[in-house]
């Protein structure tokens, strides 16, 4: 085997057709990570017949003196089930990296362990996973374990909604909670629209506290992926909010008055009205809610006639999927549920555009014990999503002495 540097064009051509292709293993992502201080290299793995049988984007930077760390985002694009291939590639890669003063190389291969239901029950299991894990361990890749939370560089668990049926059928399969929140967002006059890249400053206000990323990082994402990167914003449409609030209030008022008339009539006749009283009380409760909503809508219409932007998201489209990179919303308008409506509108849009899946990004692998991420799982998996479990993160230690010193002192 030979390890040879590839050009961007050579690498992207190979990567776009590989089984484990993903937008992190692209020259576009390499440009993004330059903002984070990483340099990049494109390595090609050639067999003795001079066939290109594997490749990888390697991100690297100096961390201590002239020592460097490396990262192959979502792993090498290679056949992990071939022990001889992994053994030879690893041996030659370690030899190459040691000469260049690397401490370790991190990988987190895009290899599925299992697909699970929202309660954690297994839908399907990768029969090769144990063999692949054994091959990697045998070749001295240090596994970080089958963690359940967000301990790794990238989430080990993600929520994926498959876009293989109609929007109407998907809607029917959404959880009751998700449907209710989508409907509430619509009643509250929330609309979703595709923004421009110039609107990044607006989006950044909603996401800047979620990750330790500067606005320059997100600008680099937009610049690198160009038309494949999209911003969507959620806003309160005051005219719609007033119109719908008024309609709901008037409809309920009409029902309430009819209940009241019927209640009085049955009371005069000495009939049992216990069920009707409960129905009337429920209507009174709804009437109060709709009246309060109408008052809020009127205030917003008066104070913000052009509307209020209350949330947004950044999407990257790659091959046959759309990926939710990050989202956020104004906590003052949490009850308007912009994040629920935003996801639903994106699912419908990308389904109509014939994408095969919508990646809702990270979740956790704890489905039984209540934890601080339970709400996150409930929301994302409520969009008829499957929980996808990946194999996890590995460190290939190049310089064990330096690795142990820096790891012990928490420098890496």
């Amino acid at each position: 085997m030979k390890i040879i540097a590839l050009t961007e064009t050579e690498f992207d051509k190979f990567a776009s057709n590989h089984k484990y292709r993903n937008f992190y293993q692209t020259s576009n992502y390499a440009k993004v990570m330059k903002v984070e201080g990483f340099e990049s290299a494109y390595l090609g793995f050639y067999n003795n017949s001079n066939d290109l049988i594997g490749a990888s984007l390697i991100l690297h930077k100096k961390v201590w003196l002239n020592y460097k760390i490396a990262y192959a985002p979502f792993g090498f694009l290679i056949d992990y089930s071939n022990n001889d291939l992994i053994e030879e590639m690893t041996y030659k890669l370690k030899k190459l990296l040691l000469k260049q003063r690397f401490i370790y190389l991190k990988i987190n291969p895009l290899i599925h362990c299992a697909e699970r239901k929202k309660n954690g029950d297994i839908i399907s299991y990768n029969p090769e996973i144990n063999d692949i894990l054994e091959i990697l361990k045998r070749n001295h890749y240090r596994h970080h374990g089958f963690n359940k939370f967000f301990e790794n560089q990238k989430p080990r668990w993600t929520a994926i909604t498959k876009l293989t049926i109609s929007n109407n059928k998907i809607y029917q399969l959404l959880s009751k909670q998700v449907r209710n929140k989508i409907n509430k967002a619509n009643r509250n006059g929330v609309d979703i629209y595709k923004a421009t890249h110039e609107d990044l400053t607006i989006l950044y206000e909603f996401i800047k506290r979620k990750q330790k990323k500067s606005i320059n990082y997100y600008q680099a994402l937009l610049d690198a992926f160009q038309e494949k990167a999209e911003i969507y914003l959620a806003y309160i449409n005051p005219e719609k909010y007033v119109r719908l609030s008024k309609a709901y209030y008037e409809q309920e008022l009409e029902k309430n008055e009819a209940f009241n008339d019927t209640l009085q009539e049955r009371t005069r006749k000495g009939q049992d009205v216990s069920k009707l009283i409960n129905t009337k009380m429920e209507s009174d409760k709804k009437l109060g809610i709709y009246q309060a909503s109408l008052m809020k809508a009127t205030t917003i219409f008066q104070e913000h006639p052009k509307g209020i932007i209350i949330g947004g998201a950044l999407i990257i489209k790659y091959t046959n999927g759309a990926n939710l990179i990050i989202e956020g919303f104004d906590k003052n308008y949490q009850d308007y549920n912009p994040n629920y409506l935003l996801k639903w509108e994106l699912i419908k849009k990308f389904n109509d555009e014939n994408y095969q899946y919508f990646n809702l990004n990270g979740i956790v692998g704890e489905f039984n014990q209540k934890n601080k991420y339970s709400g996150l799982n409930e929301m994302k998996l409520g969009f008829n999503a499957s929980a996808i479990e990946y194999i996890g993160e590995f460190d290939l230690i190049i310089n064990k002495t330096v690795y142990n010193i820096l790891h012990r002192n928490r420098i890496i």
Side-chain angles (χ1 to χ4, degrees):
M1 173 185 282
K2 294 179 292 186
I3 300 178
I4 298 176
L6 302 177
T7 65
E8 286 186 6
T9 303
E10 289 171 333
F11 173 73
D12 283 335
K13 182 180 179 181
F14 179 86
S16 64
N17 295 296
H18 198 272
K19 175 183 178 180
Y20 296 123
R21 64 186 178 272
N22 63 88
F23 72 87
Y24 290 101
Q25 276 287 334
T26 61
S27 62
N28 308 81
Y29 188 66
K31 295 180 178 73
V32 174
M33 293 304 286
K34 195 171 182 64
V35 174
E36 298 282 281
F38 284 90
E39 298 298 321
S40 58
Y42 307 102
L43 301 184
F45 310 127
Y46 289 83
N47 64 14
N48 294 332
S49 301
N50 212 34
D51 298 318
L52 183 60
I53 57 173
S56 184
L57 162 64
I58 303 292
L59 301 170
H60 58 89
K61 68 178 178 180
K62 293 179 181 178
V63 292
W64 183 69
L65 299 178
N66 285 319
Y67 287 102
K68 295 175 282 189
I69 61 171
Y71 173 45
F74 281 114
F76 314 122
L77 302 176
I78 201 166
D79 181 4
Y80 289 91
S81 65
N82 187 327
N83 179 70
D84 292 340
L85 174 61
I86 295 299
E87 183 177 0
E88 187 176 5
M89 183 273 294
T90 303
Y91 171 78
K92 294 194 173 180
L93 185 58
K94 283 183 72 173
K95 192 174 180 180
L96 175 66
L97 296 180
L98 184 61
K99 289 179 182 178
Q100 298 179 19
R101 297 177 67 84
F102 278 87
I103 305 167
Y104 73 94
L105 168 68
K106 184 180 294 293
I107 64 171
N108 49 347
L110 198 67
I111 300 171
H112 290 191
C113 288
E115 178 182 357
R116 297 173 183 268
K117 297 178 181 179
K118 61 183 178 181
N119 63 358
D121 289 349
I122 291 179
I123 298 171
S124 62
Y125 186 79
N126 183 354
E128 293 185 319
I129 197 66
N130 290 328
D131 291 337
I132 291 173
L133 184 63
E134 182 58 34
I135 288 170
L136 289 171
K137 287 183 175 180
R138 190 184 306 138
N139 287 284
H140 309 293
Y141 290 85
R142 178 175 170 267
H143 192 216
H144 286 228
F146 293 110
N147 56 291
K148 292 184 176 182
F149 297 96
F150 294 111
E151 299 91 341
N152 291 350
Q153 191 139 329
K154 298 290 183 185
R156 199 175 75 84
W157 301 78
T158 59
I160 303 285
T161 297
K162 296 176 184 177
L163 306 180
T164 54
I165 55 178
S166 70
N167 289 332
N168 286 337
K169 288 183 178 178
I170 293 176
Y171 184 78
Q172 292 168 13
L173 293 171
L174 302 180
S175 71
K176 182 178 179 181
Q177 179 193 39
V178 166
R179 290 199 306 270
N180 287 341
K181 288 184 180 292
I182 290 170
N183 293 334
K184 185 178 179 182
N186 275 313
R187 287 199 307 271
N188 288 341
V190 179
D191 276 337
I192 309 298
Y193 70 96
K194 183 180 177 181
T196 68
H197 286 192
E198 285 68 36
D199 292 314
L200 175 61
T201 53
I202 298 173
L203 174 64
Y204 190 66
E205 287 302 307
F206 303 124
I207 64 175
K208 62 185 180 183
R209 293 180 181 84
K210 297 192 73 173
Q211 293 184 354
K212 294 179 181 178
K213 302 286 187 185
S214 70
I215 193 171
N216 294 332
Y217 171 82
Y218 297 107
Q219 185 63 59
L221 272 173
L222 297 177
D223 292 342
F225 287 93
Q226 298 181 24
E227 75 279 359
K228 297 297 183 182
E230 298 178 345
I231 292 174
Y232 291 87
L233 296 175
Y235 82 109
I236 298 174
N237 180 335
E239 185 278 329
K240 175 184 174 183
Y241 193 12
V242 170
R243 172 169 46 83
L244 291 178
S245 296
K246 184 179 180 182
Y248 279 106
Y249 175 74
E250 289 178 347
Q251 288 170 12
E252 195 59 43
L253 180 61
E254 185 176 341
K255 290 180 184 178
N256 192 274
E257 289 174 345
F259 289 146
N260 191 56
D261 291 342
T262 304
L263 183 61
Q264 291 182 18
E265 178 67 20
R266 290 184 181 179
T267 300
R268 282 197 302 270
K269 293 180 179 180
Q271 297 175 342
D272 181 16
V273 294
S274 56
K275 289 185 179 179
L276 186 58
I277 288 174
N278 290 334
T279 303
K280 174 66 166 59
M281 289 175 66
E282 282 297 314
S283 179
D284 290 342
K285 184 179 178 180
K286 286 183 180 179
L287 198 60
I289 292 171
Y290 293 148
Q291 185 178 35
S293 178
L294 180 57
M295 292 174 64
K296 283 184 182 179
T298 303
T299 300
I300 287 177
F301 185 84
Q302 292 171 343
E303 297 179 355
H304 304 279
K306 294 183 179 181
I308 310 171
I309 298 174
I310 60 173
L314 174 61
I315 304 295
I316 288 181
K317 300 180 293 184
Y318 182 75
T319 60
N320 62 345
N323 303 274
L324 175 62
I325 303 303
I326 193 166
E327 62 172 328
F329 58 90
D330 187 335
K331 295 293 192 286
N332 294 317
Y333 296 94
Q334 183 171 345
D335 290 344
Y336 287 72
N337 301 306
N339 49 333
Y340 284 85
L341 184 63
L342 181 57
K343 292 182 186 67
W344 173 235
E345 291 298 325
L346 292 176
I347 286 170
K348 289 193 297 179
K349 172 185 168 62
F350 294 124
N351 196 20
D352 290 340
E353 294 177 1
N354 297 317
Y355 284 88
Q356 295 300 301
Y357 67 88
F358 183 61
N359 183 346
L360 292 107
N361 213 320
I363 55 171
V364 300
E366 179 53 73
F367 303 93
N368 300 314
Q369 298 294 323
K370 197 77 174 176
N371 60 82
K372 66 178 182 178
Y373 300 109
S374 295
L376 176 72
N377 274 30
E378 186 176 12
M379 174 182 67
K380 290 188 177 183
L381 295 174
F383 282 91
N384 190 38
S386 297
I388 305 298
E389 178 187 3
Y390 298 106
I391 194 171
E393 192 172 282
F394 299 81
D395 285 348
L396 177 63
I397 300 172
I398 311 299
N399 187 322
K400 188 174 182 179
T401 301
V402 177
Y403 179 90
N404 288 338
I405 291 171
L406 298 188
H407 198 267
R408 189 163 53 245
N409 290 281
R410 298 184 180 179
I411 295 175
I412 58 173

